[in-house]
Amino acid sequence: MTIISVKQQITKFFIPSNLDAQAKSTGFMKRIRAIKPLALVTSLVAALSKSNVTSINEIVRQFNGMRLSEDEFVAYKPFHNQLAKEAFPTFIKQITQQAMATLLPEEQALPKRLKQFKQVILHDGSSLTVHPELASEFKGRFTKTAPAAVECHVSLSLFERKITRMNIAADSISEHDYLPAAQTLKSCLFLADSGYVNTPYFAELDANNANYIVKGKSNLNPIIIKAYNGRGKALKRPVGKKLKEITQKQNGQKMMDFDVAWGKYQCRLLRCWVASEQKFVIWLTNLPRSTFSADDVTMLYRVRWQVELLFKELKSYNNLRKFNTKKKPIVEGLTWASLLTLIIKRAISTKAVEQVSFFKAAMNTDVWLIPLLQALADREYLALQEKLEWAYIYLRNNASLSQQKKSNLNSSLHDIYEYFNS
C-alpha cells in the first residue's frame, strides 16, 4: 500500500467532525469544549504507545505537550473528570471497533494448504489487576493476591493479522462465556489453549463445519477408539483403554495419534512425550488425519503463539497494565485505548515493512509514531505525509524481523508458513 493511500486511511479515521459526532452520540460529550475528541484520542494513543506511562498525570502532560499554545493546556482535575465519565469507555470502545474494521494491516501471502480455511482464528484471554476497591465490579479469581482483576478476551485473525473482537469482563467470569459463537466460525480453523476445552462447544463447531485445535489438559482421560503412531501406523494395543493407562514406559512412542471418546463426543487426540519436562503434551482436534498428519497439527498449533505475543505487546509497549484508579470507566476506557494504540501501530508498520517485527515497531514510538499523531492533532496534512515517509524509512531499517537462529527454527510465523509451503 502506498504512503498516499495510508495517509488517506489514517486521515479518514481521525476526521475531527466524525470523532465529535461519536463523542456526542455516545453521550461522552454534549458540547465540545477544551478537551476536544481529536486532541484526546491522539494524546491517549501517543501516551500509551510509550512503555513508561504509569499514571494519568503523564497522559495529561502528553495532552498538553501536543497543544499548539499554552491557552489550550488543561489541568489534571478536568482531564481526570472527562476520563471518569460513564460514557468514556463507550466512546473509546466505539472508535476502537471502528479501527478494527477499517485500519487493516497489509495482506500477506498464505501457504496453499491453509487457504482451505476461510480464516484461522486465535483466541485467548489475559488478565490485569486493578485497584482492590473495584472488586465488586471486577472480581478477581485469586481473591487474596488480586481481589480485583480484569480479563481481556481477544479473537485474532491470523490471515488478516487483525483483532476481530474483544470483550472486557471480571477475571472471575468463566472464559467459556466469551468464546466466539460457533456459527461465526463456519469454514474456519479455531485455535485456543487448555482453558477452552469444552466438548459441547466442539460439537457446535463440528455442526458448523468448523475445525479446531485446542491444547488439552493433563487430567483428560477419554477412551481410546483407534490408535496410531506419529507416522500414521495403526496400533492395536492401546485400543479400548483409557488414555492414562497408556504410559510412556508401556508404549515407547514419542508421538501418539488417537481417536477418543467422552460419552457421546468423539474427536482426535494427539499426545507427545516431552522428555526434558517429563510430561505429556496433549492437543484435541477434528482435523482429518488424511490431510493433516500429527506433525502438521502440532506445527499449525504453534501459530497460536501470535495471540500470546499480542498480549505481551499490549502489556509491555501499550501500557495495558495495572491502572491505579478506583474509577471503573477509566479502567475500561484505558484498556480499550491500549488496544486502539496497538491497532494503529500495527496498521502502519505492516504496510511499511513486509516482514515486520511488531516488538521492534512498538519501541521508539517518539521517533516515528508520535510525530504522525502530532500532525493529525494539528491537522497539518502536508506534514503528515512527510512524517509517514520518515516512519516508513525508519521502520524498514529498524523494525524488520531478524533471521532466526538454528535453535529457534520453526518457531516464527514465517518458518511455520515455510513448513506448509514445502
Side-chain angles (χ1 to χ4, degrees):
M1 187 176 284
T2 65
I3 289 176
I4 292 175
S5 59
V6 174
K7 174 191 171 185
Q8 291 171 341
Q9 191 182 67
I10 296 294
T11 303
K12 186 176 180 180
F13 179 76
F14 283 100
I15 292 176
S17 58
N18 287 353
L19 293 173
D20 290 352
Q22 289 180 81
K24 289 178 179 178
S25 67
T26 56
F28 177 49
M29 294 182 183
K30 293 182 179 179
R31 288 177 289 177
I32 308 301
R33 294 187 172 179
I35 304 175
K36 297 178 173 59
L38 175 63
L40 175 63
V41 173
T42 51
S43 62
L44 278 174
V45 173
L48 295 176
S49 73
K50 299 183 290 187
S51 59
N52 59 350
V53 171
T54 59
S55 68
I56 296 173
N57 251 322
E58 290 174 85
I59 300 175
V60 175
R61 288 194 286 272
Q62 182 69 49
F63 178 91
N64 288 336
M66 294 175 70
R67 306 286 64 80
L68 291 172
S69 72
E70 186 179 346
D71 295 338
E72 297 179 274
F73 287 3
V74 296
Y76 174 86
K77 188 172 182 179
F79 190 92
H80 178 275
N81 290 344
Q82 282 291 92
L83 301 193
K85 287 182 177 179
E86 290 294 329
F88 170 60
T90 306
F91 168 62
I92 299 296
K93 177 181 178 180
Q94 183 168 297
I95 61 174
T96 302
Q97 290 176 330
Q98 181 184 331
M100 288 183 201
T102 60
L103 298 181
L104 299 179
E106 192 74 356
E107 291 185 6
Q108 55 185 336
L110 299 172
K112 187 176 180 180
R113 290 184 64 193
L114 299 188
K115 289 182 180 179
Q116 62 184 282
F117 304 114
K118 181 181 176 182
Q119 273 294 346
V120 175
I121 300 297
L122 321 177
H123 185 82
D124 204 0
S126 184
S127 62
L128 61 146
T129 58
V130 295
H131 198 284
E133 290 194 21
L134 287 171
S136 60
E137 301 281 355
F138 297 119
K139 184 180 178 182
R141 281 179 292 175
F142 309 103
T143 54
K144 289 185 179 180
T145 57
V150 170
E151 180 143 13
C152 301
H153 304 272
V154 167
S155 293
L156 175 68
S157 162
L158 178 69
F159 293 170
E160 295 178 323
R161 295 197 286 185
K162 72 168 187 174
I163 296 167
T164 57
R165 63 195 289 272
M166 184 173 94
N167 296 102
I168 300 170
D171 189 39
S172 58
I173 297 176
S174 172
E175 296 170 320
H176 294 185
D177 293 346
Y178 294 94
L179 284 165
Q183 59 266 30
T184 67
L185 297 173
K186 288 182 179 180
S187 302
C188 296
L189 174 64
F190 174 76
L191 305 182
D193 71 5
S194 58
Y196 297 93
V197 174
N198 185 328
T199 54
Y201 183 68
F202 295 162
E204 287 186 61
L205 293 176
D206 290 341
N208 283 278
N209 192 34
N211 292 112
Y212 64 86
I213 308 174
V214 175
K215 195 169 185 180
K217 296 181 178 180
S218 60
N219 63 354
L220 294 178
N221 198 26
I223 295 173
I224 298 168
I225 300 171
K226 293 181 182 179
Y228 304 85
N229 65 17
R231 297 181 298 279
K233 180 182 177 181
L235 304 171
K236 294 181 179 180
R237 186 179 297 178
V239 175
K241 296 181 178 179
K242 289 287 192 78
L243 182 65
K244 286 185 177 293
E245 293 178 53
I246 311 302
T247 66
Q248 179 64 15
K249 184 177 180 180
Q250 289 172 323
N251 188 265
Q253 299 283 347
K254 182 179 179 182
M255 173 67 77
M256 297 292 293
D257 191 346
F258 303 115
D259 287 345
V260 299
W262 292 272
K264 294 181 179 179
Y265 187 74
Q266 298 183 14
C267 71
R268 185 179 173 194
L269 182 151
L270 306 179
R271 192 179 74 171
C272 181
W273 176 253
V274 182
S276 60
E277 300 179 28
Q278 291 293 293
K279 70 175 186 179
F280 288 110
V281 180
I282 296 172
W283 299 267
L284 304 171
T285 186
N286 61 353
L287 287 171
R289 193 173 288 110
S290 58
T291 51
F292 286 90
S293 68
D295 286 343
D296 291 342
V297 172
T298 57
M299 179 63 75
L300 190 48
Y301 183 78
R302 292 184 185 187
V303 302
R304 202 199 67 83
W305 185 243
Q306 298 302 309
V307 74
E308 299 278 5
L309 293 175
L310 181 141
F311 279 121
K312 184 176 180 181
E313 185 182 342
L314 269 172
K315 291 184 174 183
S316 298
Y317 299 107
N318 299 280
N319 289 280
L320 183 66
R321 57 183 65 172
K322 182 177 180 179
F323 298 125
N324 190 25
T325 175
K326 302 175 186 178
K327 302 291 185 180
K328 179 185 176 185
I330 297 179
V331 168
E332 292 182 322
L334 292 182
T335 300
W336 283 105
S338 293
L339 180 60
L340 175 62
T341 303
L342 178 141
I343 291 169
I344 291 170
K345 284 182 183 179
R346 289 192 168 198
I348 296 170
S349 61
T350 53
K351 295 174 180 66
V353 186
E354 184 177 354
Q355 293 290 331
V356 65
S357 164
F358 289 128
F359 285 104
K360 291 179 183 178
M363 294 185 284
N364 299 323
T365 53
D366 56 323
V367 175
W368 70 272
L369 179 64
I370 294 178
L372 298 176
L373 297 167
Q374 183 69 65
L376 286 163
D378 297 340
R379 307 186 197 186
E380 293 285 348
Y381 300 120
L382 286 176
L384 175 61
Q385 183 162 331
E386 294 177 1
K387 303 301 183 185
L388 266 172
E389 289 171 355
W390 168 249
Y392 269 46
I393 293 170
Y394 176 82
L395 291 169
R396 283 170 183 163
N397 285 276
N398 296 278
S400 294
L401 280 173
S402 301
Q403 188 172 359
Q404 292 287 304
K405 297 179 181 178
K406 287 185 178 180
S407 60
N408 292 331
L409 287 177
N410 298 328
S411 61
S412 73
L413 186 59
H414 174 73
D415 292 332
I416 295 166
Y417 280 2
E418 283 293 304
Y419 170 90
F420 283 102
N421 275 325
S422 62

